[in-house]
Amino acid sequence: LAHQRFTIMIPYIDRIGAAWAADLFEETTATERLLVLRDATQLLACGAQGKRIESIATRIIDYGGADSANETFHAKIVLADGVAAYVGSANLLRRSKLTNLECGMLVEGPAVAAVKVLMDAVISMANS
């Protein structure tokens, strides 16, 4: 996966999910590897896998904080350079990887632009 920017946006992550995300980041040659979480403190509960993803990601963005009453976004997206995106239901959790029947789609072509606009807006909101 040769990309400039590889972004994973997910509301929830656990130890299994942190390993999953780290595996994805290790497979890409992207110079930017962004992890966008609803509450970045979730990584503390991920132990060694949380530290692993922290060392591999070039940036971790928190878009909601620990107050789940004010959750702003619940999408699960993996975006590669704005040219390909996975949009689906899977959080980065053990259940999503090993138990649940999740659903998602790979989006390519002009439709990816809308996904990129959405992700850029969430990142912009988190940075402000």
Side-chain angles (χ1 to χ4, degrees):
L1 302 171
H3 303 288
Q4 282 286 99
R5 178 189 258 189
F6 190 81
T7 307
I8 300 171
M9 182 166 60
I10 206 88
Y12 301 108
I13 193 167
D14 65 11
R15 182 182 52 81
I16 299 293
W20 193 3
D23 290 345
L24 289 171
F25 281 154
E26 286 172 348
E27 288 296 317
T28 184
T29 59
T31 54
E32 269 191 286
R33 293 169 309 282
L34 302 168
L35 178 62
V36 184
L37 296 169
R38 186 190 62 77
D39 175 13
T41 64
Q42 295 175 81
L43 292 174
L44 297 173
C46 297
Q49 295 301 332
K51 291 185 185 327
R52 180 177 167 220
I53 193 67
E54 287 174 337
S55 71
I56 296 168
T58 56
R59 201 160 122 213
I60 296 173
I61 298 166
D62 186 321
Y63 70 85
D67 183 6
S68 62
N70 291 323
E71 183 171 331
T72 57
F73 202 62
H74 198 73
K76 293 86 172 177
I77 299 171
V78 177
L79 182 67
D81 280 344
V83 297
Y86 162 83
V87 180
S89 64
N91 284 295
L92 286 175
L93 301 171
R94 181 198 58 77
R95 289 186 322 267
S96 295
K97 186 172 186 185
L98 304 173
T99 307
N100 293 356
L101 177 59
E102 301 287 355
C103 184
M105 66 180 80
L106 180 63
V107 180
E108 296 178 304
V112 177
V115 176
K116 185 177 182 322
V117 166
L118 181 64
M119 187 172 288
D120 287 348
V122 171
I123 291 170
S124 175
M125 179 185 73
N127 289 334
S128 60

